[in-house]
Amino acid sequence: MEYVFRPEAVPVVPVLGTASMFPVHRIYCIGRNYAEHAREMGHDPDREPPFFFQKAASDILTSGALHYPAETSELHFEIEMVVALGDGGTGVSVSDALGKVFGYGVGLDMTRRDLQGAAKKLGRPWDIGKSFSGAAPCSALLPVAQVGHPERGAVRLSVNGETRQSGDLSQMIWSVGEQISELSRFFELRPGDLIFTGTPAGVGPVVRGDRMVGEVEGVGRIEVEVV
Ligand code: MN
């Protein structure tokens, strides 16, 4: 078999402390999974079943330098724990779900908030706001053997040394296991899938020259400069 041109390289995320790379298949993101963030976006967190959107696998960024994307003047950060699946399936029960996890990392669900807002108003898809080159910065992954399955721990983000987001994994409305189980009702999950697990309150804009440092206690940290 011959391709008509050379295919793009498979997007990868490094595995901490090894030379191995985690090949990314899809990127799923849950919306409004921390009550305070749902409220700051103008929604009632108590009456909603979970919902998800996707970014393209090629949106993964591991270089630490995010090029300010086109056609926005409101690029927002959202610090999130990232779940990396080492196994897939459909109809996964909550009790089986954590057995599918390869490891965990720290990611940023970067968002062109102005474009997302316009799309919401018009009842259009969110992907123009959520999926673009560099929209999914992700730290190296920590395998389950080292990190276990974190259920609590601070989730923080600072910009230029000033704290902007601060929450705790224990505040998630839908647990990691519930997210995997719910996604597997609608999609065939595959090894290589990443799940961005939602962001605490305090999201806001960055501009060129800003330096974001995000941390999930016990899982890792990520540093990204907007260039
Ligand atoms: Mn998000």
mmCIF file with all atom_site columns, all heavy atoms in Angstrom, residues 29-33 37 53 55 77-80 108-111 113 126 130 196-199 203, ligand 1:
data_model
loop_
_atom_site.group_PDB
_atom_site.id
_atom_site.type_symbol
_atom_site.label_atom_id
_atom_site.label_alt_id
_atom_site.label_comp_id
_atom_site.label_asym_id
_atom_site.label_entity_id
_atom_site.label_seq_id
_atom_site.pdbx_PDB_ins_code
_atom_site.Cartn_x
_atom_site.Cartn_y
_atom_site.Cartn_z
_atom_site.occupancy
_atom_site.B_iso_or_equiv
_atom_site.pdbx_formal_charge
_atom_site.auth_seq_id
_atom_site.auth_comp_id
_atom_site.auth_asym_id
_atom_site.auth_atom_id
_atom_site.pdbx_PDB_model_num
ATOM   1   N  N   . CYS A 1 29  ? -13.354 15.942 25.844 1.00 0.00 ? 29  CYS A N   1
ATOM   2   C  CA  . CYS A 1 29  ? -13.344 16.905 26.947 1.00 0.00 ? 29  CYS A CA  1
ATOM   3   C  C   . CYS A 1 29  ? -14.745 16.983 27.524 1.00 0.00 ? 29  CYS A C   1
ATOM   4   O  O   . CYS A 1 29  ? -15.722 17.112 26.774 1.00 0.00 ? 29  CYS A O   1
ATOM   5   C  CB  . CYS A 1 29  ? -12.967 18.302 26.457 1.00 0.00 ? 29  CYS A CB  1
ATOM   6   S  SG  . CYS A 1 29  ? -11.445 18.417 25.496 1.00 0.00 ? 29  CYS A SG  1
ATOM   7   N  N   . ILE A 1 30  ? -14.835 16.927 28.858 1.00 0.00 ? 30  ILE A N   1
ATOM   8   C  CA  . ILE A 1 30  ? -16.143 17.103 29.493 1.00 0.00 ? 30  ILE A CA  1
ATOM   9   C  C   . ILE A 1 30  ? -16.380 18.593 29.731 1.00 0.00 ? 30  ILE A C   1
ATOM   10  O  O   . ILE A 1 30  ? -15.442 19.345 29.980 1.00 0.00 ? 30  ILE A O   1
ATOM   11  C  CB  . ILE A 1 30  ? -16.243 16.302 30.819 1.00 0.00 ? 30  ILE A CB  1
ATOM   12  C  CG1 . ILE A 1 30  ? -17.693 16.285 31.340 1.00 0.00 ? 30  ILE A CG1 1
ATOM   13  C  CG2 . ILE A 1 30  ? -15.274 16.834 31.869 1.00 0.00 ? 30  ILE A CG2 1
ATOM   14  C  CD1 . ILE A 1 30  ? -17.923 15.309 32.486 1.00 0.00 ? 30  ILE A CD1 1
ATOM   15  N  N   . GLY A 1 31  ? -17.641 19.015 29.617 1.00 0.00 ? 31  GLY A N   1
ATOM   16  C  CA  . GLY A 1 31  ? -17.996 20.408 29.897 1.00 0.00 ? 31  GLY A CA  1
ATOM   17  C  C   . GLY A 1 31  ? -18.528 20.544 31.319 1.00 0.00 ? 31  GLY A C   1
ATOM   18  O  O   . GLY A 1 31  ? -19.143 19.624 31.855 1.00 0.00 ? 31  GLY A O   1
ATOM   19  N  N   . ARG A 1 32  ? -18.276 21.690 31.939 1.00 0.00 ? 32  ARG A N   1
ATOM   20  C  CA  . ARG A 1 32  ? -18.902 22.084 33.217 1.00 0.00 ? 32  ARG A CA  1
ATOM   21  C  C   . ARG A 1 32  ? -18.888 20.967 34.256 1.00 0.00 ? 32  ARG A C   1
ATOM   22  O  O   . ARG A 1 32  ? -19.927 20.563 34.771 1.00 0.00 ? 32  ARG A O   1
ATOM   23  C  CB  . ARG A 1 32  ? -20.355 22.506 32.962 1.00 0.00 ? 32  ARG A CB  1
ATOM   24  C  CG  . ARG A 1 32  ? -20.447 23.704 32.038 1.00 0.00 ? 32  ARG A CG  1
ATOM   25  C  CD  . ARG A 1 32  ? -21.882 23.983 31.605 1.00 0.00 ? 32  ARG A CD  1
ATOM   26  N  NE  . ARG A 1 32  ? -21.902 24.753 30.359 1.00 0.00 ? 32  ARG A NE  1
ATOM   27  C  CZ  . ARG A 1 32  ? -22.855 24.657 29.427 1.00 0.00 ? 32  ARG A CZ  1
ATOM   28  N  NH1 . ARG A 1 32  ? -23.881 23.838 29.587 1.00 0.00 ? 32  ARG A NH1 1
ATOM   29  N  NH2 . ARG A 1 32  ? -22.783 25.379 28.336 1.00 0.00 ? 32  ARG A NH2 1
ATOM   30  N  N   . ASN A 1 33  ? -17.674 20.509 34.596 1.00 0.00 ? 33  ASN A N   1
ATOM   31  C  CA  . ASN A 1 33  ? -17.580 19.401 35.558 1.00 0.00 ? 33  ASN A CA  1
ATOM   32  C  C   . ASN A 1 33  ? -17.208 19.864 36.956 1.00 0.00 ? 33  ASN A C   1
ATOM   33  O  O   . ASN A 1 33  ? -17.003 19.040 37.838 1.00 0.00 ? 33  ASN A O   1
ATOM   34  C  CB  . ASN A 1 33  ? -16.579 18.357 35.056 1.00 0.00 ? 33  ASN A CB  1
ATOM   35  C  CG  . ASN A 1 33  ? -16.779 17.027 35.742 1.00 0.00 ? 33  ASN A CG  1
ATOM   36  O  OD1 . ASN A 1 33  ? -17.906 16.688 36.124 1.00 0.00 ? 33  ASN A OD1 1
ATOM   37  N  ND2 . ASN A 1 33  ? -15.707 16.280 35.931 1.00 0.00 ? 33  ASN A ND2 1
ATOM   38  N  N   . HIS A 1 37  ? -17.269 26.575 38.220 1.00 0.00 ? 37  HIS A N   1
ATOM   39  C  CA  . HIS A 1 37  ? -17.002 26.963 36.826 1.00 0.00 ? 37  HIS A CA  1
ATOM   40  C  C   . HIS A 1 37  ? -18.298 26.998 36.023 1.00 0.00 ? 37  HIS A C   1
ATOM   41  O  O   . HIS A 1 37  ? -18.509 27.907 35.215 1.00 0.00 ? 37  HIS A O   1
ATOM   42  C  CB  . HIS A 1 37  ? -15.990 26.016 36.179 1.00 0.00 ? 37  HIS A CB  1
ATOM   43  C  CG  . HIS A 1 37  ? -15.824 26.245 34.696 1.00 0.00 ? 37  HIS A CG  1
ATOM   44  N  ND1 . HIS A 1 37  ? -15.329 27.435 34.194 1.00 0.00 ? 37  HIS A ND1 1
ATOM   45  C  CD2 . HIS A 1 37  ? -16.096 25.474 33.619 1.00 0.00 ? 37  HIS A CD2 1
ATOM   46  C  CE1 . HIS A 1 37  ? -15.307 27.369 32.863 1.00 0.00 ? 37  HIS A CE1 1
ATOM   47  N  NE2 . HIS A 1 37  ? -15.770 26.195 32.492 1.00 0.00 ? 37  HIS A NE2 1
ATOM   48  N  N   . PHE A 1 53  ? -17.280 17.269 24.350 1.00 0.00 ? 53  PHE A N   1
ATOM   49  C  CA  . PHE A 1 53  ? -16.929 17.707 23.003 1.00 0.00 ? 53  PHE A CA  1
ATOM   50  C  C   . PHE A 1 53  ? -15.557 17.132 22.695 1.00 0.00 ? 53  PHE A C   1
ATOM   51  O  O   . PHE A 1 53  ? -14.946 16.498 23.556 1.00 0.00 ? 53  PHE A O   1
ATOM   52  C  CB  . PHE A 1 53  ? -16.942 19.247 22.908 1.00 0.00 ? 53  PHE A CB  1
ATOM   53  C  CG  . PHE A 1 53  ? -16.031 19.938 23.882 1.00 0.00 ? 53  PHE A CG  1
ATOM   54  C  CD1 . PHE A 1 53  ? -14.717 20.219 23.552 1.00 0.00 ? 53  PHE A CD1 1
ATOM   55  C  CD2 . PHE A 1 53  ? -16.496 20.301 25.150 1.00 0.00 ? 53  PHE A CD2 1
ATOM   56  C  CE1 . PHE A 1 53  ? -13.874 20.854 24.465 1.00 0.00 ? 53  PHE A CE1 1
ATOM   57  C  CE2 . PHE A 1 53  ? -15.657 20.937 26.066 1.00 0.00 ? 53  PHE A CE2 1
ATOM   58  C  CZ  . PHE A 1 53  ? -14.344 21.217 25.719 1.00 0.00 ? 53  PHE A CZ  1
ATOM   59  N  N   . LYS A 1 55  ? -11.605 17.604 20.762 1.00 0.00 ? 55  LYS A N   1
ATOM   60  C  CA  . LYS A 1 55  ? -10.566 18.332 20.047 1.00 0.00 ? 55  LYS A CA  1
ATOM   61  C  C   . LYS A 1 55  ? -9.915  17.345 19.092 1.00 0.00 ? 55  LYS A C   1
ATOM   62  O  O   . LYS A 1 55  ? -10.023 16.127 19.283 1.00 0.00 ? 55  LYS A O   1
ATOM   63  C  CB  . LYS A 1 55  ? -9.522  18.872 21.036 1.00 0.00 ? 55  LYS A CB  1
ATOM   64  C  CG  . LYS A 1 55  ? -10.022 19.980 21.960 1.00 0.00 ? 55  LYS A CG  1
ATOM   65  C  CD  . LYS A 1 55  ? -8.969  20.326 23.001 1.00 0.00 ? 55  LYS A CD  1
ATOM   66  C  CE  . LYS A 1 55  ? -9.449  21.345 24.011 1.00 0.00 ? 55  LYS A CE  1
ATOM   67  N  NZ  . LYS A 1 55  ? -9.168  22.735 23.655 1.00 0.00 ? 55  LYS A NZ  1
ATOM   68  N  N   . PHE A 1 77  ? -7.537  30.087 29.174 1.00 0.00 ? 77  PHE A N   1
ATOM   69  C  CA  . PHE A 1 77  ? -6.958  28.867 29.749 1.00 0.00 ? 77  PHE A CA  1
ATOM   70  C  C   . PHE A 1 77  ? -8.015  28.129 30.554 1.00 0.00 ? 77  PHE A C   1
ATOM   71  O  O   . PHE A 1 77  ? -8.933  28.751 31.117 1.00 0.00 ? 77  PHE A O   1
ATOM   72  C  CB  . PHE A 1 77  ? -5.768  29.207 30.667 1.00 0.00 ? 77  PHE A CB  1
ATOM   73  C  CG  . PHE A 1 77  ? -6.075  30.279 31.676 1.00 0.00 ? 77  PHE A CG  1
ATOM   74  C  CD1 . PHE A 1 77  ? -6.800  29.998 32.825 1.00 0.00 ? 77  PHE A CD1 1
ATOM   75  C  CD2 . PHE A 1 77  ? -5.670  31.594 31.458 1.00 0.00 ? 77  PHE A CD2 1
ATOM   76  C  CE1 . PHE A 1 77  ? -7.110  30.989 33.748 1.00 0.00 ? 77  PHE A CE1 1
ATOM   77  C  CE2 . PHE A 1 77  ? -5.973  32.600 32.374 1.00 0.00 ? 77  PHE A CE2 1
ATOM   78  C  CZ  . PHE A 1 77  ? -6.690  32.294 33.521 1.00 0.00 ? 77  PHE A CZ  1
ATOM   79  N  N   . GLU A 1 78  ? -7.904  26.800 30.608 1.00 0.00 ? 78  GLU A N   1
ATOM   80  C  CA  . GLU A 1 78  ? -8.686  25.953 31.508 1.00 0.00 ? 78  GLU A CA  1
ATOM   81  C  C   . GLU A 1 78  ? -7.760  24.830 31.956 1.00 0.00 ? 78  GLU A C   1
ATOM   82  O  O   . GLU A 1 78  ? -7.428  23.952 31.160 1.00 0.00 ? 78  GLU A O   1
ATOM   83  C  CB  . GLU A 1 78  ? -9.915  25.349 30.787 1.00 0.00 ? 78  GLU A CB  1
ATOM   84  C  CG  . GLU A 1 78  ? -10.924 26.378 30.293 1.00 0.00 ? 78  GLU A CG  1
ATOM   85  C  CD  . GLU A 1 78  ? -12.209 25.750 29.738 1.00 0.00 ? 78  GLU A CD  1
ATOM   86  O  OE1 . GLU A 1 78  ? -12.337 24.497 29.761 1.00 0.00 ? 78  GLU A OE1 1
ATOM   87  O  OE2 . GLU A 1 78  ? -13.081 26.515 29.268 1.00 0.00 ? 78  GLU A OE2 1
ATOM   88  N  N   . ILE A 1 79  ? -7.339  24.851 33.207 1.00 0.00 ? 79  ILE A N   1
ATOM   89  C  CA  . ILE A 1 79  ? -6.464  23.791 33.724 1.00 0.00 ? 79  ILE A CA  1
ATOM   90  C  C   . ILE A 1 79  ? -7.294  22.548 34.016 1.00 0.00 ? 79  ILE A C   1
ATOM   91  O  O   . ILE A 1 79  ? -8.372  22.648 34.611 1.00 0.00 ? 79  ILE A O   1
ATOM   92  C  CB  . ILE A 1 79  ? -5.706  24.270 34.991 1.00 0.00 ? 79  ILE A CB  1
ATOM   93  C  CG1 . ILE A 1 79  ? -4.834  23.160 35.583 1.00 0.00 ? 79  ILE A CG1 1
ATOM   94  C  CG2 . ILE A 1 79  ? -6.654  24.785 36.068 1.00 0.00 ? 79  ILE A CG2 1
ATOM   95  C  CD1 . ILE A 1 79  ? -3.596  22.883 34.830 1.00 0.00 ? 79  ILE A CD1 1
ATOM   96  N  N   . GLU A 1 80  ? -6.819  21.382 33.603 1.00 0.00 ? 80  GLU A N   1
ATOM   97  C  CA  . GLU A 1 80  ? -7.605  20.152 33.755 1.00 0.00 ? 80  GLU A CA  1
ATOM   98  C  C   . GLU A 1 80  ? -6.686  18.945 33.987 1.00 0.00 ? 80  GLU A C   1
ATOM   99  O  O   . GLU A 1 80  ? -5.607  18.874 33.415 1.00 0.00 ? 80  GLU A O   1
ATOM   100 C  CB  . GLU A 1 80  ? -8.440  19.892 32.479 1.00 0.00 ? 80  GLU A CB  1
ATOM   101 C  CG  . GLU A 1 80  ? -9.157  21.150 32.000 1.00 0.00 ? 80  GLU A CG  1
ATOM   102 C  CD  . GLU A 1 80  ? -10.409 20.922 31.180 1.00 0.00 ? 80  GLU A CD  1
ATOM   103 O  OE1 . GLU A 1 80  ? -10.725 19.763 30.865 1.00 0.00 ? 80  GLU A OE1 1
ATOM   104 O  OE2 . GLU A 1 80  ? -11.070 21.935 30.860 1.00 0.00 ? 80  GLU A OE2 1
ATOM   105 N  N   . LEU A 1 108 ? -4.187  21.682 29.403 1.00 0.00 ? 108 LEU A N   1
ATOM   106 C  CA  . LEU A 1 108 ? -4.888  22.960 29.287 1.00 0.00 ? 108 LEU A CA  1
ATOM   107 C  C   . LEU A 1 108 ? -5.888  22.840 28.142 1.00 0.00 ? 108 LEU A C   1
ATOM   108 O  O   . LEU A 1 108 ? -5.504  22.513 27.021 1.00 0.00 ? 108 LEU A O   1
ATOM   109 C  CB  . LEU A 1 108 ? -3.898  24.098 28.997 1.00 0.00 ? 108 LEU A CB  1
ATOM   110 C  CG  . LEU A 1 108 ? -2.877  24.392 30.096 1.00 0.00 ? 108 LEU A CG  1
ATOM   111 C  CD1 . LEU A 1 108 ? -1.819  25.369 29.591 1.00 0.00 ? 108 LEU A CD1 1
ATOM   112 C  CD2 . LEU A 1 108 ? -3.569  24.967 31.322 1.00 0.00 ? 108 LEU A CD2 1
ATOM   113 N  N   . ASP A 1 109 ? -7.164  23.060 28.476 1.00 0.00 ? 109 ASP A N   1
ATOM   114 C  CA  . ASP A 1 109 ? -8.207  23.091 27.443 1.00 0.00 ? 109 ASP A CA  1
ATOM   115 C  C   . ASP A 1 109 ? -8.271  24.535 26.950 1.00 0.00 ? 109 ASP A C   1
ATOM   116 O  O   . ASP A 1 109 ? -9.077  25.327 27.428 1.00 0.00 ? 109 ASP A O   1
ATOM   117 C  CB  . ASP A 1 109 ? -9.526  22.608 28.057 1.00 0.00 ? 109 ASP A CB  1
ATOM   118 C  CG  . ASP A 1 109 ? -10.729 22.873 27.156 1.00 0.00 ? 109 ASP A CG  1
ATOM   119 O  OD1 . ASP A 1 109 ? -10.531 23.222 25.977 1.00 0.00 ? 109 ASP A OD1 1
ATOM   120 O  OD2 . ASP A 1 109 ? -11.860 22.724 27.658 1.00 0.00 ? 109 ASP A OD2 1
ATOM   121 N  N   . MET A 1 110 ? -7.366  24.878 26.023 1.00 0.00 ? 110 MET A N   1
ATOM   122 C  CA  . MET A 1 110 ? -7.309  26.259 25.522 1.00 0.00 ? 110 MET A CA  1
ATOM   123 C  C   . MET A 1 110 ? -8.527  26.518 24.628 1.00 0.00 ? 110 MET A C   1
ATOM   124 O  O   . MET A 1 110 ? -8.932  25.660 23.841 1.00 0.00 ? 110 MET A O   1
ATOM   125 C  CB  . MET A 1 110 ? -6.009  26.513 24.768 1.00 0.00 ? 110 MET A CB  1
ATOM   126 C  CG  . MET A 1 110 ? -4.745  26.361 25.630 1.00 0.00 ? 110 MET A CG  1
ATOM   127 S  SD  . MET A 1 110 ? -4.707  27.392 27.134 1.00 0.00 ? 110 MET A SD  1
ATOM   128 C  CE  . MET A 1 110 ? -4.729  29.048 26.435 1.00 0.00 ? 110 MET A CE  1
ATOM   129 N  N   . THR A 1 111 ? -9.096  27.686 24.793 1.00 0.00 ? 111 THR A N   1
ATOM   130 C  CA  . THR A 1 111 ? -10.408 27.976 24.196 1.00 0.00 ? 111 THR A CA  1
ATOM   131 C  C   . THR A 1 111 ? -10.437 29.370 23.587 1.00 0.00 ? 111 THR A C   1
ATOM   132 O  O   . THR A 1 111 ? -10.081 30.348 24.254 1.00 0.00 ? 111 THR A O   1
ATOM   133 C  CB  . THR A 1 111 ? -11.489 27.894 25.310 1.00 0.00 ? 111 THR A CB  1
ATOM   134 O  OG1 . THR A 1 111 ? -11.445 26.598 25.911 1.00 0.00 ? 111 THR A OG1 1
ATOM   135 C  CG2 . THR A 1 111 ? -12.875 28.150 24.742 1.00 0.00 ? 111 THR A CG2 1
ATOM   136 N  N   . ARG A 1 113 ? -12.594 31.795 23.410 1.00 0.00 ? 113 ARG A N   1
ATOM   137 C  CA  . ARG A 1 113 ? -13.873 31.986 24.099 1.00 0.00 ? 113 ARG A CA  1
ATOM   138 C  C   . ARG A 1 113 ? -14.835 32.845 23.281 1.00 0.00 ? 113 ARG A C   1
ATOM   139 O  O   . ARG A 1 113 ? -16.060 32.618 23.313 1.00 0.00 ? 113 ARG A O   1
ATOM   140 C  CB  . ARG A 1 113 ? -13.649 32.627 25.475 1.00 0.00 ? 113 ARG A CB  1
ATOM   141 C  CG  . ARG A 1 113 ? -14.883 32.590 26.368 1.00 0.00 ? 113 ARG A CG  1
ATOM   142 C  CD  . ARG A 1 113 ? -15.182 31.208 26.904 1.00 0.00 ? 113 ARG A CD  1
ATOM   143 N  NE  . ARG A 1 113 ? -14.236 30.833 27.931 1.00 0.00 ? 113 ARG A NE  1
ATOM   144 C  CZ  . ARG A 1 113 ? -14.025 29.574 28.326 1.00 0.00 ? 113 ARG A CZ  1
ATOM   145 N  NH1 . ARG A 1 113 ? -14.703 28.576 27.774 1.00 0.00 ? 113 ARG A NH1 1
ATOM   146 N  NH2 . ARG A 1 113 ? -13.142 29.294 29.252 1.00 0.00 ? 113 ARG A NH2 1
ATOM   147 N  N   . TRP A 1 126 ? -19.215 23.805 18.767 1.00 0.00 ? 126 TRP A N   1
ATOM   148 C  CA  . TRP A 1 126 ? -18.194 24.516 19.523 1.00 0.00 ? 126 TRP A CA  1
ATOM   149 C  C   . TRP A 1 126 ? -16.800 24.384 18.923 1.00 0.00 ? 126 TRP A C   1
ATOM   150 O  O   . TRP A 1 126 ? -15.868 24.996 19.415 1.00 0.00 ? 126 TRP A O   1
ATOM   151 C  CB  . TRP A 1 126 ? -18.088 23.921 20.930 1.00 0.00 ? 126 TRP A CB  1
ATOM   152 C  CG  . TRP A 1 126 ? -19.166 24.267 21.865 1.00 0.00 ? 126 TRP A CG  1
ATOM   153 C  CD1 . TRP A 1 126 ? -20.385 24.820 21.591 1.00 0.00 ? 126 TRP A CD1 1
ATOM   154 C  CD2 . TRP A 1 126 ? -19.132 24.075 23.289 1.00 0.00 ? 126 TRP A CD2 1
ATOM   155 N  NE1 . TRP A 1 126 ? -21.106 24.976 22.744 1.00 0.00 ? 126 TRP A NE1 1
ATOM   156 C  CE2 . TRP A 1 126 ? -20.364 24.531 23.792 1.00 0.00 ? 126 TRP A CE2 1
ATOM   157 C  CE3 . TRP A 1 126 ? -18.177 23.564 24.166 1.00 0.00 ? 126 TRP A CE3 1
ATOM   158 C  CZ2 . TRP A 1 126 ? -20.664 24.481 25.159 1.00 0.00 ? 126 TRP A CZ2 1
ATOM   159 C  CZ3 . TRP A 1 126 ? -18.471 23.514 25.517 1.00 0.00 ? 126 TRP A CZ3 1
ATOM   160 C  CH2 . TRP A 1 126 ? -19.705 23.972 26.005 1.00 0.00 ? 126 TRP A CH2 1
ATOM   161 N  N   . LYS A 1 130 ? -12.920 25.478 20.270 1.00 0.00 ? 130 LYS A N   1
ATOM   162 C  CA  . LYS A 1 130 ? -12.212 24.510 21.109 1.00 0.00 ? 130 LYS A CA  1
ATOM   163 C  C   . LYS A 1 130 ? -11.089 23.759 20.405 1.00 0.00 ? 130 LYS A C   1
ATOM   164 O  O   . LYS A 1 130 ? -10.227 23.179 21.068 1.00 0.00 ? 130 LYS A O   1
ATOM   165 C  CB  . LYS A 1 130 ? -13.226 23.475 21.638 1.00 0.00 ? 130 LYS A CB  1
ATOM   166 C  CG  . LYS A 1 130 ? -14.145 24.014 22.734 1.00 0.00 ? 130 LYS A CG  1
ATOM   167 C  CD  . LYS A 1 130 ? -13.356 24.302 24.015 1.00 0.00 ? 130 LYS A CD  1
ATOM   168 C  CE  . LYS A 1 130 ? -14.287 24.538 25.204 1.00 0.00 ? 130 LYS A CE  1
ATOM   169 N  NZ  . LYS A 1 130 ? -13.522 24.776 26.456 1.00 0.00 ? 130 LYS A NZ  1
ATOM   170 N  N   . PHE A 1 196 ? -10.021 15.085 28.862 1.00 0.00 ? 196 PHE A N   1
ATOM   171 C  CA  . PHE A 1 196 ? -9.807  16.277 29.690 1.00 0.00 ? 196 PHE A CA  1
ATOM   172 C  C   . PHE A 1 196 ? -11.004 16.370 30.630 1.00 0.00 ? 196 PHE A C   1
ATOM   173 O  O   . PHE A 1 196 ? -12.159 16.407 30.183 1.00 0.00 ? 196 PHE A O   1
ATOM   174 C  CB  . PHE A 1 196 ? -9.687  17.524 28.811 1.00 0.00 ? 196 PHE A CB  1
ATOM   175 C  CG  . PHE A 1 196 ? -8.328  17.692 28.152 1.00 0.00 ? 196 PHE A CG  1
ATOM   176 C  CD1 . PHE A 1 196 ? -7.791  16.708 27.332 1.00 0.00 ? 196 PHE A CD1 1
ATOM   177 C  CD2 . PHE A 1 196 ? -7.574  18.841 28.366 1.00 0.00 ? 196 PHE A CD2 1
ATOM   178 C  CE1 . PHE A 1 196 ? -6.537  16.865 26.727 1.00 0.00 ? 196 PHE A CE1 1
ATOM   179 C  CE2 . PHE A 1 196 ? -6.322  19.007 27.775 1.00 0.00 ? 196 PHE A CE2 1
ATOM   180 C  CZ  . PHE A 1 196 ? -5.807  18.025 26.956 1.00 0.00 ? 196 PHE A CZ  1
ATOM   181 N  N   . THR A 1 197 ? -10.726 16.379 31.944 1.00 0.00 ? 197 THR A N   1
ATOM   182 C  CA  . THR A 1 197 ? -11.764 16.086 32.932 1.00 0.00 ? 197 THR A CA  1
ATOM   183 C  C   . THR A 1 197 ? -12.472 17.312 33.511 1.00 0.00 ? 197 THR A C   1
ATOM   184 O  O   . THR A 1 197 ? -13.172 17.198 34.508 1.00 0.00 ? 197 THR A O   1
ATOM   185 C  CB  . THR A 1 197 ? -11.173 15.253 34.083 1.00 0.00 ? 197 THR A CB  1
ATOM   186 O  OG1 . THR A 1 197 ? -10.068 15.971 34.657 1.00 0.00 ? 197 THR A OG1 1
ATOM   187 C  CG2 . THR A 1 197 ? -10.701 13.900 33.585 1.00 0.00 ? 197 THR A CG2 1
ATOM   188 N  N   . GLY A 1 198 ? -12.296 18.465 32.885 1.00 0.00 ? 198 GLY A N   1
ATOM   189 C  CA  . GLY A 1 198 ? -13.020 19.655 33.336 1.00 0.00 ? 198 GLY A CA  1
ATOM   190 C  C   . GLY A 1 198 ? -12.148 20.572 34.175 1.00 0.00 ? 198 GLY A C   1
ATOM   191 O  O   . GLY A 1 198 ? -11.112 20.163 34.695 1.00 0.00 ? 198 GLY A O   1
ATOM   192 N  N   . THR A 1 199 ? -12.610 21.816 34.284 1.00 0.00 ? 199 THR A N   1
ATOM   193 C  CA  . THR A 1 199 ? -11.781 22.849 34.918 1.00 0.00 ? 199 THR A CA  1
ATOM   194 C  C   . THR A 1 199 ? -12.508 23.515 36.074 1.00 0.00 ? 199 THR A C   1
ATOM   195 O  O   . THR A 1 199 ? -13.733 23.688 36.026 1.00 0.00 ? 199 THR A O   1
ATOM   196 C  CB  . THR A 1 199 ? -11.372 23.906 33.858 1.00 0.00 ? 199 THR A CB  1
ATOM   197 O  OG1 . THR A 1 199 ? -10.273 24.669 34.362 1.00 0.00 ? 199 THR A OG1 1
ATOM   198 C  CG2 . THR A 1 199 ? -12.512 24.864 33.512 1.00 0.00 ? 199 THR A CG2 1
ATOM   199 N  N   . VAL A 1 203 ? -11.397 30.720 35.035 1.00 0.00 ? 203 VAL A N   1
ATOM   200 C  CA  . VAL A 1 203 ? -10.867 30.784 33.669 1.00 0.00 ? 203 VAL A CA  1
ATOM   201 C  C   . VAL A 1 203 ? -10.759 32.245 33.226 1.00 0.00 ? 203 VAL A C   1
ATOM   202 O  O   . VAL A 1 203 ? -11.494 33.104 33.691 1.00 0.00 ? 203 VAL A O   1
ATOM   203 C  CB  . VAL A 1 203 ? -11.754 29.999 32.674 1.00 0.00 ? 203 VAL A CB  1
ATOM   204 C  CG1 . VAL A 1 203 ? -11.835 28.542 33.085 1.00 0.00 ? 203 VAL A CG1 1
ATOM   205 C  CG2 . VAL A 1 203 ? -13.148 30.610 32.560 1.00 0.00 ? 203 VAL A CG2 1
HETATM 206 MN MN  . MN  B 2 .   ? -12.632 22.468 29.654 1.00 0.00 ? 1   MN  B MN  1
#
